Amino acid sequence: MNIIRNMEAAFLFSLSVAGAASVAIDAIPPARADVPAPVAKSVATPSSMAVVKVSAKRMTATEKAQSLAIERARRGV
């Protein structure tokens, strides 16, 4: 008898959580496709070019060959 009472309580709890979640989700406004996304600002201008500085060590030929071998092994080629 006690198991049936606990199952009923669990069902009522889950039903109340689902109902509250349904109301909360309905309160969220729908997405609008006609509103444009914000555009990222470009650092390049017609008079100056954007420059990217990469401070990393170049791979040696041996390291590059090892890296390619590992990558091919992962892909199964």
Side-chain angles (χ1 to χ4, degrees), residues 23-62:
V23 170
I25 289 174
D26 284 343
I28 298 172
R32 292 181 41 199
D34 60 337
V35 178
V39 178
K41 290 177 88 177
S42 175
V43 259
T45 61
S47 61
S48 69
M49 183 185 302
V51 178
V52 176
K53 182 179 178 184
V54 177
S55 58
K57 187 178 84 170
R58 272 187 197 257
M59 294 173 75
T60 63
T62 312

Side-chain angles (χ1 to χ4, degrees), residues 59 62-75:
M59 294 173 75
T62 312
E63 291 172 336
K64 191 172 186 178
Q66 288 174 347
S67 175
L68 286 172
I70 291 170
E71 191 174 323
R72 287 183 182 132
R74 286 185 183 155
R75 284 191 289 169

